[in-house]
Amino acid sequence: MTGLILNTETRLYVLKDNNMTQKDQIIAAIDIGTTKIVAIAGKMNENNKLEVLAMSKTASKGIKRGVVLNIEETIGAIQETVEEVQNKAGLSLSEVFAGIAGQHIRSIRNRGYINRSSYDDEITEEDIQKLLEDMYNIPIEAGEEIVHVLPQSFIVDNETGVKNPVGMSGKRLEANFHIVIGQISSAKNIEKCINRVGLEVKEMVLEPLASSIAVLTDDEKEAGVVLADIGGGTTDIAVYYDDVIRHTAVIPFGGNVVTGDIKEGCSILQRQAEQLKIQFGSALGDLAQEDKVVTIPGISGRDPKEISFKSLAFIIQSRMEEIIDAMMYEIESSGFADKLSAGIVLTGGGALLRHLSQLVKFKTGYDVRIGYPSEHLSTESIEEANQPMYSTSVGLLLKGYELMNKTTLGISKKEVKADNDKKQDDESKEKSKPNLFSTLKERLNGIFEENDSSL
């Protein structure tokens, strides 16, 4: 599988096959968020830990709730981060993995099956690939495309709950799939912005899926856990149980609506509201100190404003409760609300809000922890990468390695499209090949036609 090509000052890396050592594979990713755009490059070390070589972030422009609204502004922001990463690491990037989110994302469940020719032959990777390809061809609404096809469980001749059927014998192979669907236009706009800075998108990855890889442990996924990635414009949800992803969703609001509420409630500027939230904000009004106030400079020489910590906390709490209610709706919709022994893991920039984990635990009844991507990071990684706000960025690199090395069952959308295009080309070539009998028939007809005309 052709991989990322990177020109360095001293040598050229061309990742072409799985025989190359992991330390030779350097992968880059771009996380296009509502508040920030992050470019990141890294590689795996000998201990199978991710070493982040370089990372850059810039304020996001032209993005709202995970959707590109202004192409030119977004291109400028991407260009800035990519150039900084290339300069820091001494690399020249050509391909990247990109995250996709936004309120247009939805997921469905579907089941597919194939009947095999013999009971005795072992089930192979090719059989599973065929099932996956079929899922990419299911009917969906106009203007949509399938982003991911994720196998949940397999059934071999009525034997249910099979996680990996390769090597088993059976005639009928069935599988349950979790299928993630998004708007074509949103994906195309992200791809267009990245292409315009001279990069190719290797694969689009659903952002909650990337964050899950970065912060969730194998034990949590087995026991049952919810990942809630609270970003600036969206809150991404992923539900796992028995090591399988069961539900994904994107809630169309996040930390920015909290900032907006502070701005309106306190009649201050947006940047002042954001600073207030980060420095003095709390998600629990009852725990805020009543006797403390913060003084905000007045606009253009006007009198300064005094805002109490308690008033600020209650503004934040009311909006966070709304986001938690939306999270609970998605958890209930998954059908696994009573099986989540590991509770909820909060990540993303919004997870750092003071007392948020206590509020979530109080409102939902689940155990709560803050998720850091430290689980998969090596000690050589730059320290800045180990923050909840970079969980998606780190996860994109980890998912990129999975896709490059084919360590998980799956097939990419681009591979399916390429296979379909190849089949169509082969069919058209087959049709254009001269048939022996048709050629002979044409010649005979030609002879008789010539004889008829001469008579």
Side-chain angles (χ1 to χ4, degrees):
M1 184 175 178
T2 302
L4 177 62
I5 300 171
L6 295 168
N7 295 309
T8 69
E9 294 168 354
T10 56
R11 51 186 168 166
L12 173 72
Y13 290 112
V14 185
L15 311 184
K16 284 190 174 179
D17 57 45
N18 297 338
N19 297 322
M20 296 190 70
T21 59
Q22 285 188 323
K23 65 181 179 180
D24 288 330
Q25 296 187 2
I26 301 173
I27 285 184
I30 294 177
D31 173 19
I32 300 176
T34 305
T35 55
K36 68 184 186 309
I37 291 176
V38 179
I40 186 169
K43 64 177 183 178
M44 285 290 188
N45 65 14
E46 291 82 358
N47 301 319
N48 211 30
K49 295 284 187 179
L50 179 67
E51 180 185 346
V52 177
L53 300 171
M55 187 172 70
S56 170
K57 71 165 182 173
T58 187
S60 195
K61 296 172 185 174
I63 311 281
K64 187 175 182 182
R65 291 178 180 171
V67 176
V68 177
L69 298 181
N70 188 310
I71 297 282
E72 294 303 323
E73 286 187 349
T74 306
I75 290 168
I78 293 172
Q79 182 84 49
E80 187 180 328
T81 56
V82 169
E83 284 179 357
E84 191 174 338
V85 163
Q86 291 182 143
N87 292 335
K88 282 180 179 177
L91 303 172
S92 179
L93 307 179
S94 63
E95 288 180 339
V96 294
F97 290 88
I100 185 169
Q103 63 192 89
H104 62 93
I105 295 289
R106 66 185 182 93
S107 61
I108 60 171
R109 296 188 186 99
N110 201 14
R111 177 181 282 199
Y113 72 92
I114 56 171
N115 286 315
R116 304 173 67 251
S117 56
S118 169
Y119 284 101
D120 299 326
D121 293 341
E122 290 185 354
I123 294 169
T124 63
E125 289 278 5
E126 286 71 27
D127 294 321
I128 295 168
Q129 298 283 15
K130 189 176 178 183
L131 264 178
L132 288 161
E133 286 179 32
D134 288 345
M135 289 301 104
Y136 277 103
N137 296 323
I138 64 168
I140 52 178
E141 293 180 17
E144 290 185 330
E145 67 176 350
I146 292 172
V147 180
H148 289 296
V149 173
L150 306 170
Q152 293 187 309
S153 63
F154 294 90
I155 303 157
V156 181
D157 290 343
N158 298 320
E159 182 69 37
T160 61
V162 178
K163 289 187 178 178
N164 187 353
V166 173
M168 295 178 68
S169 296
K171 189 169 178 68
R172 183 182 174 94
L173 175 64
E174 295 179 70
N176 295 310
F177 293 97
H178 179 81
I179 298 172
V180 180
I181 299 167
Q183 289 288 338
I184 294 174
S185 58
S186 294
K188 290 291 181 192
N189 284 338
I190 291 171
E191 197 164 354
K192 185 188 294 182
C193 292
I194 294 172
N195 290 344
R196 288 273 292 276
V197 299
L199 299 173
E200 183 186 340
V201 177
K202 184 71 182 168
E203 188 94 20
M204 290 276 189
V205 178
L206 184 67
E207 291 189 357
L209 192 63
S211 302
S212 301
I213 294 169
V215 302
L216 297 182
T217 65
D218 292 339
D219 289 345
E220 285 174 329
K221 289 179 184 177
E222 183 183 342
V225 68
V226 177
L227 175 96
D229 186 342
I230 306 170
T234 60
T235 299
D236 303 334
I237 303 294
V239 179
Y240 285 82
Y241 176 71
D242 197 19
D243 285 329
V244 174
I245 191 162
R246 304 292 179 172
H247 184 71
T248 54
V250 179
I251 299 166
F253 39 82
N256 283 2
V257 291
V258 178
T259 305
D261 287 352
I262 297 169
K263 177 192 171 188
E264 296 297 326
C266 301
S267 300
I268 56 178
L269 298 174
Q270 182 85 10
R271 67 173 184 273
Q272 293 171 332
E274 181 68 19
Q275 197 174 353
L276 262 184
K277 180 182 76 174
I278 293 169
Q279 283 188 258
F280 308 108
S282 167
L284 275 174
D286 291 338
L287 295 183
Q289 295 166 298
E290 292 186 40
D291 57 340
K292 282 199 172 182
V293 295
V294 59
T295 303
I296 304 293
I299 300 167
S300 302
R302 291 172 176 81
D303 292 337
K305 292 179 182 247
E306 287 192 345
I307 298 162
S308 75
F309 280 29
K310 205 165 192 67
S311 299
L312 177 65
F314 276 116
I315 291 172
I316 294 170
Q317 181 178 338
S318 60
R319 181 60 81 172
M320 287 312 303
E321 284 180 347
E322 187 181 342
I323 293 174
I324 294 165
D325 288 342
M327 284 166 48
M328 278 307 297
Y329 172 78
E330 294 297 341
I331 293 168
E332 294 288 345
S333 299
S334 73
F336 289 86
D338 57 343
K339 297 180 179 178
L340 303 174
S341 303
I344 297 172
V345 175
L346 301 174
T347 194
L352 295 174
L353 187 61
R354 198 175 286 105
H355 302 133
L356 178 60
S357 55
Q358 290 96 314
L359 177 64
V360 174
K361 185 172 184 177
F362 173 73
K363 290 283 290 181
T364 65
Y366 291 116
D367 288 333
V368 180
R369 78 170 177 92
I370 306 299
Y372 289 78
S374 55
E375 176 84 7
H376 300 283
L377 290 176
S378 71
T379 52
E380 294 85 11
S381 285
I382 53 178
E383 194 174 333
E384 189 187 1
N386 189 25
Q387 291 293 328
M389 66 183 72
Y390 300 120
S391 295
T392 302
S393 306
V394 171
L396 287 172
L397 290 185
L398 293 167
K399 185 63 179 174
Y401 273 100
E402 276 191 19
L403 293 168
M404 293 287 285
N405 296 310
K406 289 284 188 179
T407 54
T408 56
L409 294 175
I411 186 167
S412 75
K413 184 176 55 182
K414 287 190 176 182
E415 284 177 309
V416 172
K417 187 178 185 302
D419 288 344
N420 289 341
D421 291 344
K422 186 176 183 299
K423 285 175 188 174
Q424 289 174 4
D425 289 343
D426 291 344
E427 286 171 7
S428 60
K429 284 177 185 175
E430 196 65 39
K431 288 177 183 175
S432 64
K433 280 183 183 176
N435 182 284
L436 177 63
F437 292 105
S438 62
T439 307
L440 183 60
K441 184 180 175 185
E442 286 169 10
R443 287 181 179 174
L444 288 171
N445 286 342
I447 292 169
F448 289 120
E449 283 168 11
E450 287 171 13
N451 289 341
D452 289 343
S453 61
S454 62
L455 292 170

